[in-house]
Amino acid sequence: MKHFHSKLFTPGPVEVRPEILLAMATPQIHHRSPECADLYAELQPKLKKFLYTDQTVFLFTSSSTGAMEAAVQNTVRKKCLNLVNGAFAGRWHQITQACGLPCEALEVPWDKAIKPEQVEEKLSTGEFDAVTLVYNETSTGMLNPLPEIAEVVHRFPDVMLLVDAVSAMGGVKIEFDRLGLDVLLAGVQKAIALPPGLTICAVSDRALKRAEEVKPKTYYFSFPVMLKYHNKNQTPSTPSTAHMFALNAQLDAMFAEGLERRFARHEEMASLVQAWAKEKFDIYPEEGYWSKTLTCVVNTRGIDVAALNKTLVEEHGMRIANGYGDLKEKTFRIAHMGDLTTADIRGLLATIDMILGI
Ligand code: PLP
């Protein structure tokens, strides 16, 4: 197999530091051994600090989509409102339907953020007991106004707020308890900068209580089953212990950097790409809601995005992402997340300018 490494400026999977890859190569431990329980227990306070929570944080050996299924299956009793302004938000709706749960999509144009008033209007009908939101929509580079939406949802005490923070967690501060979220999930292959295969999922006490009442029709993704093992510092089934070692090392590295500094670095990288994109092209989402972890650039110059990426990969060892789905070639996406630095970003932008002669 032809294989050469390109530095990933894609919105997941992302570049993983060699130290983390080495942590994954830690000799195997048995998942029912005291060593594994110790590792699980060591991770817990770190995960709580990382998500600003005193509540429960589960680890799923699955990608984010699995935890999205878990979220709706464990919390929807009446009907779920799926807030849809992008591809992954649409996936929440597909998942909720596939699980056979009553649901309705609130569709908003993809270049527009979900507005709190729109959510309030829907919830006022009293039909719903759960809402799904994608905080950072990876298909469009949109950062939806989570704190404002959470405030509205809290006016409806029966409604659970389920948040996909897949491409935000680790790059943007998300205070789980202060925001009063019920489920907050993210696969680790984005701003947390680990290889794909593990998902972090914070669950509120009231969502755990709801799950007991709902009796989810799933075993692998059942919160009550997860909780039983979590209380013994275990997972119900064999976890990716390699990921647990890597996560432990990466959380330590994040605290060594400082979470606030990490978020500031993401802001700085975002500002660089946004300024470049505004000058040379345009930015897809409406202003005021631009993502801190990736920028979706409108291809106003009509460049051949696939050709640009081919040159980047083959001649410069860098890879960006084309637009998602129907937005392919009409947009392209530059990720500025994880352990990338402003120097990496400057290098990428200068290289694109050189290739395009702009
Ligand atoms: N949600 C968002 C915002 C994403 O960006 C992605 C993947 O890119 C997913 C969900 C699905 O994640 P996975 O493919 O890891 O299941």
Side-chain angles (χ1 to χ4, degrees), residues 30-146:
H30 193 276
H31 68 292
R32 297 294 181 224
S33 67
E35 298 91 286
C36 195
D38 286 350
L39 176 59
Y40 192 98
E42 189 178 336
L43 281 167
Q44 282 306 313
K46 296 180 188 180
L47 287 167
K48 288 183 172 176
K49 179 175 170 186
F50 176 54
L51 297 179
Y52 303 84
T53 183
D54 289 325
Q55 302 182 80
T56 305
V57 186
F58 291 138
L59 293 176
F60 286 94
T61 295
S62 82
S63 75
S64 314
T65 305
M68 291 164 85
E69 283 207 20
V72 290
Q73 283 189 304
N74 283 276
T75 60
V76 179
R77 249 183 339 203
K78 245 163 45 179
K79 192 172 176 186
C80 187
L81 177 64
N82 301 121
L83 305 173
V84 178
N85 64 338
F88 293 104
R91 184 177 292 190
W92 267 122
H93 189 51
Q94 286 174 318
I95 288 171
T96 317
Q97 286 175 317
C99 292
L101 297 162
C103 57
E104 184 181 322
L106 169 65
E107 303 267 0
V108 172
W110 283 23
D111 59 345
K112 298 284 179 289
I114 307 279
K115 304 288 161 35
E117 314 82 76
Q118 297 169 314
V119 180
E120 179 158 35
E121 195 187 324
K122 277 285 169 196
L123 294 184
S124 299
T125 61
E127 286 175 43
F128 303 97
D129 63 355
V131 183
T132 65
L133 173 74
V134 173
Y135 184 22
N136 192 73
E137 180 51 74
T138 318
S139 59
T140 60
M142 170 82 72
L143 191 69
N144 282 303
L146 171 63

Side-chain angles (χ1 to χ4, degrees), residues 4 35 86 110 140 145 161 171 183 204 213 238 258 267 271 289 306 309 343 350:
F4 52 90
E35 298 91 286
W110 283 23
T140 60
L161 179 51
V183 175
S204 70
E213 295 157 15
T238 319
E267 290 259 359
S271 300
Y289 300 94
N309 215 6

Side-chain angles (χ1 to χ4, degrees), residues 160-230:
M160 298 278 156
L161 179 51
L162 318 176
V163 180
D164 163 340
V166 172
S167 53
M169 191 188 287
V172 180
K173 188 177 200 169
I174 313 173
E175 295 174 277
F176 185 77
D177 289 358
R178 195 182 64 75
L179 291 172
L181 311 182
D182 291 297
V183 175
L184 176 71
L185 64 97
V188 294
Q189 77 276 20
K190 313 253 178 197
I192 298 167
L194 300 186
L198 188 80
T199 293
I200 297 172
C201 183
V203 183
S204 70
D205 295 342
R206 68 184 205 127
L208 289 176
K209 191 160 168 280
R210 171 77 65 88
E212 291 286 351
E213 295 157 15
V214 165
K215 296 191 182 18
K217 289 182 188 58
T218 168
Y219 182 86
Y220 196 70
F221 293 122
S222 160
F223 287 166
V225 176
M226 295 283 287
L227 185 63
K228 197 171 132 219
Y229 283 84
H230 172 84

Side-chain angles (χ1 to χ4, degrees), residues 4-9 15 312-314 316-319:
F4 52 90
H5 180 68
S6 305
K7 192 160 198 142
L8 297 178
F9 294 88
E15 208 53 26
L312 276 169
V313 169
E314 292 181 1
H316 303 277
M318 301 169 172
R319 181 184 288 279

